Every structure is written in C-alpha cells, then in structure tokens.
Amino acid sequence: MTRRHPNHRLAALLSEAGWTAAALAREVNALGATQGLPLRYSRNSVSHWLNGSQPRAPIPALAAQALGRRIGRSLTPEDTGLARLTPLQAATAADPPSLRTDPLRHLILLTRSDADPIRRSALYRSVYAPAPAAPWPARPATPPSSQRSGRPATSADVHTLTCVLNAFAHLAAGNGGIHARTALATYLTDDTGPLLNRPAPRSVQRDLFTRTAHLTFLLATMTDDAGYHHLAHRYFTAVLGLARQACHRTTYAITLRAMSVQALRLGHPHHAAALAAAAVATAPRNATPGVKTFLLIQHARTSAHGQHPRQARALMHEAERHHDPTPTSRDLFAYYSQASLDYQRAATFHAMRQHTDALTALEASAHHRPADERRPLALTHALLAELHLTYGHLDIACTHWHRFLSLYPHLHSTRANQALTRLSQDLHPHSRYPAARTALQRAHSLSPAGGPG
C-alpha cells in the first residue's frame, strides 16, 4: 500500500489565500457548476486532500483555478500537489509550440485525438481556464506553399468547404452541438487536412485556410455546447492560428468575440471584457455591417456586466446603428440576424437590471427566430421563462417552459440539458400550482438518463 504524505503545497496555498478547507470546497463546487459539473465537495474532502489524497481530474485543475483567482497568479494542478500529470495529459493540457508555426498540423492532431474514443478522454476531462489571446500580428503569416504533387486545389474545393460548413451549421442550430460533432472533427482530419496540403494558387490557398478556420470555429461552438469547454477553447485558439495563416482579420476578430462569450458564461467577466474589446479593435475598417454589429453588441454586454451602463448603452446603440435588416449576403461569417441581435440586447438590458426592456427584446428575438433554429429558439424561451418567474409571472413562465419543452426532444445540447435542470429547480417550489405541476411532469418525462459531459 502506497503511503500518503501530507500535502504541504496545498496547505501553503490555503494559508496564502486566507481560506479554510470549507472555503476551497465551496469555490471548487462553484467553478464546477459553471462547467456543468454537479460537485458536492465539503470541508472533509479538502481535509483528505491535505492528508495526501489526490482527487480525480478535473478537480485538481478546478482547485488550482480557484486558488489562483484568490491569490492573483496562475497555478497549475501540480502546484497544488493534487495531481501528477501523465505524459498524455501534459500533451493535451496546453497548446504546444507547433500551434503558432503550423496551425494546420496542430488542428489535425487535435481533431484526430477528438475523434479517437480512447485518446479523447484526456481532452474531455480537462477544464477551462481563461488565457489571454495574442493580438492580431503586425505581419500575419501566409499559407505555406505545398510541395506535394497531385491535382491542384481550385475554387471548386472552396465551394465544397462552404457547402459542408452550411450543412453542419444547419445541423447545429436545429439539433444542438452534440449531434454530429465528432463527424465534423473527422471531416477536418480526413478531408480538409489533405486538401490544404495540395498545390494551389495563393488566392485559393488563402480561401481554403479561411473556410477551414470557419469549419473549426463551428466545431469549437459545437464542442462548447457539448460541455467540453477546455477543448472548445483549444479549437478557438486553433482558429486564431488559421486566421493568421489566411491573413483574414475578420475571422480573427469574430473568434475573439466568441471566446469572450464563452468566458462570460463560465464566470470570467473581466477576461470576457478584454476579449470583447480586442475583437472590436481587431476588426478591419471594411468589415460588413453584420460583423460590426456582432462585435459591438458583445462589447456592450461585457460592459454591462462590468457595471459600466453608460458605455454599454453607447455600444448597444452603435451596434443597432450598424445593423442591416436586409443584407444582400447570408454568409454565416458576414450576416447577423435580427433575432440574435435582440437576444444579446436582452442580455445586456438584463445585466443593467432593465427588466422590462430585457423582456421586450427577448420576445422580439423569439418572434424573429426561424422555426428550424430550434436550439437558439429553445434557449430563448427558457430564458424568457426564467426572467418571467423572477419577476413573479408564474403563468407566463410556464407558457414559455412548455414552448421550450416542445423543442427539447429535438436537441442534443448540454445548454438545453442545463435549462431543463433549471426548469425543475425553479418550478419545484410551485409544484402545487396546476400550471407548474403540469410543466414539471412534462419535464420529468423528457429528462435524459445522463448527459454527455
């Protein structure tokens, strides 16, 4: 039997943080909740850790993140004495240097591991931790010239990637990020990787890298919706590298904005605000109205969370001014729908505690949302239900919960699963009220046996 030794590193960090064992347990549980992990650690659990017990992943990483926040410096799981990473875990815990020099090779290694049922486990167990993104470089790289023989890539191959992008985007909006996610990872590995290694004119090569970046961006958003937030962050970071190779500044800015959304949802408002501001600063002057609106409204939302209401309103008005209600192009990375803008406006109003305006914007979002975009429509109704219940409108809340439940069976989405859990929690105190009881019974009949994350 291996003899356990007291964890002096963890004890020293607790002392430096001024925390009790119970305080660390609470923070680990809270961080886990932001990533969909129902943790129930207590003072006794931390006492076992101090005596030499080592919890399973991702608890060491969560403890390092909690203590690092408190102390004000970055900590690794090893710093806490709670983990000794294996070589495989070390390889998948952070982006290797190859990301900057060869982002395509790094992407293929990442998607290949993601598509492998054995190798993906380490990627899935890792937890999200905010990390600063590099600014747009003064001299972006260009796609490497391929030395391989074979049929040269053409604009027809770019069109093929665009068709695949639209197909997967439609699946994700209609059915959630879990559905067909690994199929997209496999496609990037088996089809896109070899395509980008074929000889091609420089302009075609740049277009291929841009569309590959867009496919990877979509994979990142699907991975985030599946509950694998660390892996999603890795994919977003890969998109930044591909955008540099393609010299596509707009894609770089859009990706920073997406990373800001993820950081804000996972409880890192200051990091989210920095990313949102960087996204706006990075966008080229000739960005489409849709892109400008997309970036500005997220900057407004993070400003509202940062208790800067005047700045938030100014940015929101600027976003509304740039919005084009009748765009000539519906390109996924140039167009921003009215429904999406209204949803973000509602979130901004809610952060500023302007409840009536938030509800009005959410109702407008639901009205403008196409019926085949079931995932965003379901999440809109879930948020409407939660806000109405907060404001004491139980009957209206139940109506929106039923609309959410009618869409839920189509979805394979961790965020939808979390909304279903919140439904049960929110309506349980009202279970004697007939409308609430009916919604609870319907939710119970749809509750999945287990989640993917």
Side-chain angles (χ1 to χ4, degrees), residues 389-404:
L389 188 59
T390 299
Y391 308 148
H393 311 152
L394 180 55
D395 284 305
I396 303 177
C398 289
T399 298
H400 284 290
W401 275 130
H402 278 293
R403 291 173 182 170
F404 165 80

Side-chain angles (χ1 to χ4, degrees), residues 61-248:
L62 290 174
Q65 191 175 144
L67 287 163
R69 276 186 180 184
R70 175 73 171 181
I71 295 170
R73 67 174 186 272
S74 179
L75 296 174
T76 67
E78 300 98 321
D79 291 333
T80 68
L82 294 175
R84 299 182 184 89
L85 296 185
T86 66
L88 176 61
Q89 289 172 320
T92 57
D95 293 309
S98 65
L99 174 60
R100 294 183 179 180
T101 58
D102 192 349
L104 177 61
R105 178 176 176 272
H106 173 72
L107 172 65
I108 299 307
L109 290 173
L110 195 58
T111 53
R112 188 173 294 154
S113 297
D114 191 6
D116 188 322
I118 297 176
R119 297 170 64 189
R120 68 171 63 137
S121 60
L123 289 169
Y124 291 179
R125 287 197 305 269
S126 299
V127 297
Y128 171 88
W136 179 254
R139 294 183 179 181
T142 55
S145 299
S146 175
Q147 302 299 320
R148 295 192 177 189
S149 59
R151 179 181 71 82
T154 68
S155 58
D157 296 302
V158 178
H159 177 71
T160 298
L161 293 186
T162 302
C163 291
V164 173
L165 173 67
N166 291 334
F168 275 101
H170 181 75
L171 280 172
N175 302 96
I178 297 173
H179 186 75
R181 191 193 69 81
T182 53
L184 178 53
T186 302
Y187 178 81
L188 284 164
T189 300
D190 295 344
D191 294 86
T192 306
L195 176 63
L196 266 68
N197 278 317
R198 281 170 26 195
R202 181 71 70 185
S203 61
V204 171
Q205 192 79 338
R206 284 182 173 175
D207 288 344
L208 289 172
F209 265 81
T210 299
R211 277 313 189 197
T212 301
H214 293 168
L215 284 164
T216 308
F217 179 97
L218 179 59
L219 178 58
T221 61
M222 294 173 73
T223 302
D224 191 49
D225 190 44
Y228 308 127
H229 306 301
H230 166 80
L231 179 56
H233 184 269
R234 295 281 302 279
Y235 280 131
F236 280 132
T237 307
V239 178
L240 296 179
L242 292 167
R244 283 195 298 266
Q245 288 278 20
C247 298
H248 206 273

Side-chain angles (χ1 to χ4, degrees), residues 260 264 268-270 272-274 276-277 295-317 343-355 357-358:
S260 171
L264 185 62
H268 303 278
H270 297 298
L295 302 179
L296 287 165
I297 194 62
Q298 175 62 15
H299 195 5
R301 185 177 177 183
T302 59
S303 297
H305 277 272
Q307 306 302 313
H308 302 294
R310 182 176 297 180
Q311 181 182 23
R313 292 189 191 95
L315 288 166
M316 183 162 52
H317 291 155
Y343 187 92
Q344 292 292 343
R345 289 176 59 246
T348 304
F349 282 130
H350 182 56
M352 294 189 293
R353 295 178 173 82
Q354 296 180 222
H355 306 318
D357 290 330

Side-chain angles (χ1 to χ4, degrees), residues 7 12 20 24 46 52 59 127 179 227 241 284 320 323 336 361 364 395:
N7 190 336
T20 63
L24 176 59
V46 178
I59 306 309
V127 297
H179 186 75
E320 293 166 347
H323 184 251
Y336 193 49
D395 284 305

Side-chain angles (χ1 to χ4, degrees), residues 403-419:
R403 291 173 182 170
F404 165 80
L405 292 170
S406 67
L407 297 166
Y408 179 80
H410 299 278
L411 303 180
H412 306 268
S413 161
T414 294
R415 288 191 66 192
N417 294 342
Q418 292 168 343

Side-chain angles (χ1 to χ4, degrees), residues 18-85:
W19 272 357
T20 63
L24 176 59
R26 284 194 300 270
E27 289 299 315
V28 168
N29 292 339
L31 282 175
T34 66
Q35 306 198 35
L37 302 174
L39 305 179
R40 297 291 184 270
Y41 287 102
S42 66
R43 175 181 60 82
N44 290 335
S45 305
V46 178
S47 295
H48 289 303
W49 302 347
L50 289 167
N51 288 329
S53 174
Q54 291 193 326
R56 294 182 179 181
I59 306 309
L62 290 174
Q65 191 175 144
L67 287 163
R69 276 186 180 184
R70 175 73 171 181
I71 295 170
R73 67 174 186 272
S74 179
L75 296 174
T76 67
E78 300 98 321
D79 291 333
T80 68
L82 294 175
R84 299 182 184 89
L85 296 185

